[in-house]
């Protein structure tokens, strides 16, 4: 019998039945995997604190503390046992989300649990025998815009877990969309061939439309200038691995903040953590849009706009650079040229950055990070890309088979 954790558990003193006549404590022993509690067995034992190394996120111990209240009910003496930071995910249970569409879907506890699964996926990836957990499942990748890392990492993730892949690299040109087929009709067709669809589209909001149509899970792999939630997940996962914490960090978001779906999704996720400060550094023509600023303010997140990358880099734990996206400017090439090359991460930026800080980039890069930065240990962007594999393995596993 599986049992989800709540804000309190109970140790019960039975006055009859399996326990001795003296009032003793009958406690439930729990085992935890992926920060979830499972009911193991019922037996008699002394009332005591319970501890397990997998109860807390980051594999720390969870201590159960008894509260003072005693309740009598039907001959059972129950002591309320309070759980500090209770996990809320049970092994074998269905994932809370049907689709992954936007960063706002995730709360802090869910993020921590996904990161725990991603760490397990890393161990699987390093095991040459791999896994067959998704054997018999088929993933369709439907990409209307170019992609290297996102598409290949999803396909690699599926195959490393034993699944199969159907892929179309340029659906905008080489699918029936070129004949005028609607997105909804395409989704209804493709879902008949697969168990999950990973989609990148050139229109903001396309992923929501697909999810509203499909009867199988949809993962948003980027929808125009809208969002890129799986990139944001891997970004936060990378920050935690590189910096060692997510609370109390300072992050500089640099480059094309108006069109960059990655920085928009990342801002939403950073707002889940405490005492975070975000600096926006961008040319005037691609400043962060007001909806993100308003959201951060509503969540109590401090943010500041700056025109000085050197000054910001000296303060930050993370410098998150992005490219100026020419494809979003249409015919206004003059505005693109005005924005391009204004903020470049080079040796001068590295010189002022703290030793523990890192440079991140969702890639691909053009000239906004010079190649000599690559050899610096603080250049985390290729490690960041690798982490995308583990996050996407975790999401495929969770959406298809659950916790």
């Amino acid at each position: 019998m599986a049992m989800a954790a709540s804000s309190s558990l109970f140790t019960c003193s039975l006055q009859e039945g399996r326990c001795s006549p003296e009032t003793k404590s009958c406690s439930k022993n729990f085992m935890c995997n992926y920060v979830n509690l499972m009911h193991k067995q019922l037996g008699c034992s002394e009332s005591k604190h319970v501890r397990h190394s997998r109860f807390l996120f980051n594999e720390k111990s969870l201590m159960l503390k008894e509260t003072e209240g005693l309740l009598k009910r039907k001959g059972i003496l129950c002591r309320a046992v309070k759980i500090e930071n209770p996990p809320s995910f049970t092994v074998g249970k269905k994932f809370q989300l049907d689709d992954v569409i936007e960063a706002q879907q995730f709360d802090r506890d869910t993020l921590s649990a996904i990161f725990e699964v991603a760490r397990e996926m890393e161990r699987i990836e390093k095991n040459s025998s791999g896994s067959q957990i998704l054997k018999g499942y088929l993933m369709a990748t439907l990409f209307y815009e170019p992609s290297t890392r996102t598409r290949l990492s999803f396909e690699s993730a599926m195959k490393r877990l034993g699944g199969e892949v159907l892929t179309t690299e340029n659906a905008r040109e080489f699918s029936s969309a070129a004949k005028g087929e609607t997105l909804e009709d395409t989704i209804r067709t493709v879902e008949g061939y697969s168990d999950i669809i990973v989609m990148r589209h050139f229109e903001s909001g396309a992923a929501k439309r697909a999810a509203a149509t499909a009867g199988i899970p949809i993962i948003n792999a980027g929808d125009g200038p809208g969002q890129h939630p799986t990139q944001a997940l891997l970004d936060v996962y990378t920050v935690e691995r590189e910096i060692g914490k997510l609370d109390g960090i300072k992050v500089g978001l640099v480059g094309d903040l108006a069109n960059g779906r990655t920085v928009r999704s990342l801002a939403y996720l950073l707002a889940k953590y405490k005492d975070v400060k975000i600096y926006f550094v961008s040319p005037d023509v691609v400043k962060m849009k007001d909806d993100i600023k308003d959201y951060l303010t509503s969540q109590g997140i401090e943010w500041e706009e700056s025109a000085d990358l050197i000054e910001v880099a000296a303060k930050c734990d993370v410098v998150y650079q992005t490219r100026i996206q020419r494809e979003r400017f249409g015919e206004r090439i003059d505005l693109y040229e005005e924005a391009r090359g204004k903020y470049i991460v080079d040796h001068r930026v590295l010189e002022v950055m703290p030793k523990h800080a890192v440079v991140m980039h969702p890639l691909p890069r053009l000239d906004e990070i010079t190649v000599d930065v690559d050899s610096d240990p603080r250049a985390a962007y290729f490690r960041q890309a690798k982490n995308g594999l583990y996050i996407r393995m975790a999401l495929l596993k969770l959406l298809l088979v659950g916790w």
Side-chain angles (χ1 to χ4, degrees):
M1 171 182 175
M3 178 175 176
S6 62
S7 59
S8 62
L9 297 175
F10 297 93
T11 60
C12 302
S13 298
L14 302 183
Q15 296 175 0
E16 60 182 2
R18 297 177 60 186
C19 291
S20 59
E22 299 82 18
T23 300
K24 291 193 176 181
S25 173
C26 294
S27 64
K28 292 179 180 179
N29 297 320
F30 295 91
M31 58 183 288
C32 185
N33 189 21
Y34 301 131
V35 294
N36 305 299
L37 294 174
M38 289 179 57
H39 177 251
K40 188 177 181 183
Q41 62 182 24
L42 182 67
C44 296
S45 65
E46 296 293 331
S47 188
K48 63 181 180 180
H49 293 304
V50 182
R51 166 185 300 269
H52 193 286
S53 64
R54 296 295 291 274
F55 276 20
L56 267 186
F57 306 128
N58 301 324
E59 300 184 359
K60 295 180 180 178
S61 297
L62 173 69
M63 182 69 74
L64 305 182
K65 292 185 177 180
E66 293 185 355
T67 64
E68 295 179 355
L70 295 178
L71 301 174
K72 289 184 178 180
R73 183 181 298 168
K74 296 181 181 180
I76 300 177
L77 190 64
C78 291
R79 289 188 184 88
V81 180
K82 186 177 181 181
I83 298 182
E84 297 177 355
N85 299 322
S88 56
F89 313 99
T90 305
V91 171
K93 289 291 186 179
K94 184 178 182 296
F95 188 42
Q96 290 88 331
L97 304 178
D98 294 322
D99 311 280
V100 174
I101 304 301
E102 58 186 9
Q104 299 95 304
Q105 293 176 272
F106 301 94
D107 59 29
R108 182 171 175 148
D109 285 348
T110 304
L111 291 172
S112 295
I114 291 171
F115 295 164
E116 177 70 12
V117 179
R119 284 187 281 272
E120 181 63 26
M121 295 300 105
E122 183 170 356
R123 289 188 283 272
I124 287 175
E125 188 264 342
K126 288 179 171 25
N127 181 352
S128 59
S129 62
S131 170
Q132 294 298 309
I133 194 171
L134 296 185
K135 185 176 181 180
Y137 289 94
L138 202 155
M139 176 187 76
T141 55
L142 192 59
F143 278 62
Y144 291 83
E145 285 190 325
S147 172
T148 300
R149 278 151 296 277
T150 303
R151 184 174 63 86
L152 291 181
S153 64
F154 265 115
E155 293 179 3
S156 176
M158 191 67 177
K159 288 181 176 291
R160 287 180 183 276
L161 292 176
E164 296 295 332
V165 175
L166 292 175
T167 184
T168 175
E169 182 177 358
N170 190 352
R172 189 174 188 176
E173 183 178 352
F174 296 114
S175 76
S176 291
K179 304 174 183 177
E181 184 176 56
T182 66
L183 174 63
E184 286 76 9
D185 282 0
T186 299
I187 294 297
R188 289 188 183 99
T189 300
V190 174
E191 73 172 335
Y193 309 144
S194 58
D195 301 293
I196 189 169
I197 297 173
V198 179
M199 187 183 80
R200 170 169 291 184
H201 203 276
F202 51 89
E203 291 181 356
S204 180
K208 285 185 178 180
R209 289 168 53 199
T213 302
I216 62 175
I218 298 291
I219 297 179
N220 181 7
D223 58 341
Q227 285 209 42
H228 196 346
T230 69
Q231 179 70 45
L233 288 170
L234 75 91
D235 290 341
V236 175
Y237 182 63
T238 299
V239 173
E240 183 185 57
R241 289 176 64 92
E242 297 284 336
I243 305 300
K245 63 178 183 177
L246 289 166
D247 291 319
I249 62 172
K250 295 180 179 180
V251 180
L253 302 181
V254 186
D256 191 342
L257 307 186
N259 300 306
R261 55 196 173 205
T262 61
V263 289
R264 292 176 58 81
S265 293
L266 179 55
Y268 280 121
L269 290 193
L270 290 175
K272 309 296 181 186
Y273 298 92
K274 298 176 182 178
D275 302 319
V276 171
K277 181 167 183 178
I278 301 177
Y279 295 91
F280 298 128
V281 183
S282 66
D284 289 339
V285 294
V286 286
K287 284 182 174 293
M288 180 60 80
K289 295 180 180 178
D290 288 340
D291 64 326
I292 296 295
K293 298 175 186 175
D294 292 343
Y295 178 81
L296 294 175
T297 300
S298 73
Q299 300 300 307
I301 299 297
E302 185 179 358
W303 58 268
E304 177 183 326
E305 290 186 312
S306 174
D308 192 334
L309 176 57
I310 296 294
E311 181 182 6
V312 168
K315 302 174 183 177
C316 285
D317 302 287
V318 178
V319 174
Y320 191 99
Q321 175 71 293
T322 64
R323 71 182 175 92
I324 305 298
Q325 299 184 37
R326 181 172 182 171
E327 64 270 26
R328 309 296 179 201
F329 284 83
E331 300 298 322
R332 295 302 306 272
I333 302 303
D334 56 323
L335 294 179
Y336 169 73
E337 293 298 338
E338 177 185 337
R340 182 184 176 187
K342 187 167 185 179
Y343 295 107
I344 295 177
V345 174
D346 56 17
H347 67 91
R348 293 173 300 171
V349 174
L350 292 177
E351 286 172 0
V352 301
M353 284 177 57
K355 296 299 182 185
H356 74 277
V358 292
V359 177
M360 294 174 58
H361 193 304
L363 302 177
R365 69 170 165 186
L366 299 180
D367 54 3
E368 64 275 2
I369 299 179
T370 58
V371 293
D372 58 322
V373 173
D374 296 357
S375 60
D376 191 290
R378 291 170 293 180
Y381 29 90
F382 292 115
R383 299 192 294 274
Q384 176 187 354
K386 179 70 173 183
N387 288 336
L389 173 64
Y390 310 135
I391 287 292
R392 286 157 181 151
M393 288 173 71
L395 289 175
L396 291 173
K397 185 262 184 188
L398 291 170
L399 286 166
L400 289 171
V401 301
W403 290 105

